């Protein structure tokens, strides 16, 4: 049986920087509140006049990942695109990346697992490579949150957190023994689906219904998050799923070279770091600069960490994510 490895990484973020002070001009919030509660200082929001969409940003990140892997788009056997904010309601953006990169008529799969979407995608790619079905799989995680956020005090609990961006990796058949993706673990608990959700427009709440209701109090077409509830579940599930990854492979927290947690809130990352007894050098965070970019967050952080020389051959990398669904997941990788 084959194993798989990450052969190339890339990321792309829109140019438009939105600081906490910029947000405080749109709603009742402050740099102090956002920094203290979330660690975020600024995020990127797509300039609506630009051609940035989840698929075009994803394509830009993918080009870099493919080049870093030392291959060309012709070598890609399968595409996986993770997002909660697709260009269109349907079709999903996987096929758009196939077109934009001029990739052969290979399969393109769209993954709907929000903040865990990238780790879920990694697990899918790993299984396809292990069975020998594919050799080079492109995974893209990209989000345009800004277009759908409520830019007023009513939406501040959600709006200040989210940012736009894209990250991509090439997952490749691995010839080396003992390296590559060692394990992935995936979980869900659907009874909490409504605690972090965007209800409409959807089949439960179609656009005509929303228009007909014409209700200024209606906020169902903006994302809803029960922040405290999500926070408490996030810290518990992060600990569990990281523990599961370490135990499966016979490792302890001190064996981790770098943990890249989904960038949901700096306080969540710091809580997990403290509980696991990890040093600052063992954890990578970039939420300060980008906010929560959901499916893009882990590949975006991994790409920056790699560029900064913080991921070296032989390192043990731990990825972990938690988010809407609820879904959560981890991956352990020997680089
Ligand atoms: N600026 C100023 N005040 C605010 C803001 C804001 N942006 N947002 C909320 N407040 C106020 C609230 O109204 C509340 O005021 P009150 O006490 O008078 O009622 C007060 O601040 C405290 O609000 P909380 O919601 O209790 O603040 P908390 O410390 O929990 O922080 C946050 C909120 C940042 C959302 C936090 O709960 C969090 O990070 N939750 C988890 C996020 C997460 O992990 N998401 C999962 C991934 S996302 C995905 O999957 C799509």
């Amino acid at each position: 049986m084959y194993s798989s490895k990450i052969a190339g990484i890339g990321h792309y973020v829109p140019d438009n920087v939105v600081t906490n002070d910029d947000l405080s001009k749109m709603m009742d919030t402050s740099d102090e509140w956002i920094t203290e509660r979330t660690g975020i200082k600024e995020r990127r929001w797509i300039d609506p006049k630009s051609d940035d969409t989840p698929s075009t940003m994803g394509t830009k990140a993918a080009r870099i990942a493919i080049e870093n892997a030392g291959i060309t788009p012709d070598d890609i056997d399968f595409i996986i695109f993770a997002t909660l904010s697709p260009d269109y309601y349907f079709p999903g953006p996987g096929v758009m990346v196939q077109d934009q990169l001029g990739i052969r008529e290979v399969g393109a799969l769209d993954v709907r697992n929000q903040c865990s979407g990238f780790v879920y995608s990694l697990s899918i790619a790993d299984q396809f490579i292990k069975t020998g079905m594919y050799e080079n799989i492109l995974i893209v995680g990209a989000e345009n949150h800004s277009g759908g956020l409520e830019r007023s005090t009513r939406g501040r609990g959600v709006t200040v957190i989210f940012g736009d961006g894209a990250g991509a990796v090439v997952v490749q058949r691995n010839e080396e023994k003992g390296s590559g993706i060692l394990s992935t673990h995936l979980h869900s608990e659907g009874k909490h689906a409504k605690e972090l959700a965007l209800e409409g427009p959807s089949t439960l709440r179609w656009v005509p219904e929303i228009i007909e209701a014409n209700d200024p109090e209606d906020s169902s077409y903006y994302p809803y998050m029960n922040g405290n509830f999500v926070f408490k579940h996030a810290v518990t599930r992060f600990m569990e799923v990281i523990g599961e990854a370490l135990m499966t492979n016979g490792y302890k927290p001190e064996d981790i070279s770098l943990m890249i947690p989904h960038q949901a809130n700096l306080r969540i990352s710091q809580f997990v770091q403290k509980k696991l007894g990890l040093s600052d050098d063992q954890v990578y965070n970039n939420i300060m600069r980008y906010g929560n970019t959901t499916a893009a967050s882990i590949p975006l952080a991994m790409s920056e960490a790699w560029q900064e020389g913080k991921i070296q051959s032989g390192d043990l990398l731990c990825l972990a994510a938690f988010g809407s669904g609820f879904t959560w997941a981890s991956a352990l990788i020997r680089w």
Side-chain angles (χ1 to χ4, degrees), residues 29 33 37 115 156-157 160-161 227-228 230 264-265 268 292 323-324:
T29 191
W33 192 97
R37 303 290 179 117
C115 294
R156 65 184 178 177
V160 301
I161 295 173
N228 264 307
V230 174
N265 183 322
I268 296 179
N292 180 346
S324 160

Side-chain angles (χ1 to χ4, degrees), residues 27-30 33-34 37-38 84 113-116 145 153 155-162 196 225-232 234 238 262-268 292 294 322-325 327:
M27 61 193 76
D28 183 9
T29 191
S30 63
W33 192 97
I34 301 169
R37 303 290 179 117
T38 71
L84 66 68
N113 286 82
Q114 298 68 248
C115 294
S116 314
H145 286 307
T153 299
R156 65 184 178 177
V158 171
T159 303
V160 301
I161 295 173
F162 291 98
L196 176 44
M225 177 164 71
N226 183 350
N228 264 307
F229 188 82
V230 174
F231 193 103
K232 283 180 196 142
F238 263 108
H262 162 55
Q263 303 290 291
N265 183 322
L266 190 61
R267 281 160 56 215
I268 296 179
N292 180 346
T294 307
F322 175 88
S324 160
T327 62

Side-chain angles (χ1 to χ4, degrees), residues 27 42 163 243 247 250 262 311 314 320:
M27 61 193 76
E42 58 186 44
M247 207 166 69
H262 162 55
I311 304 176

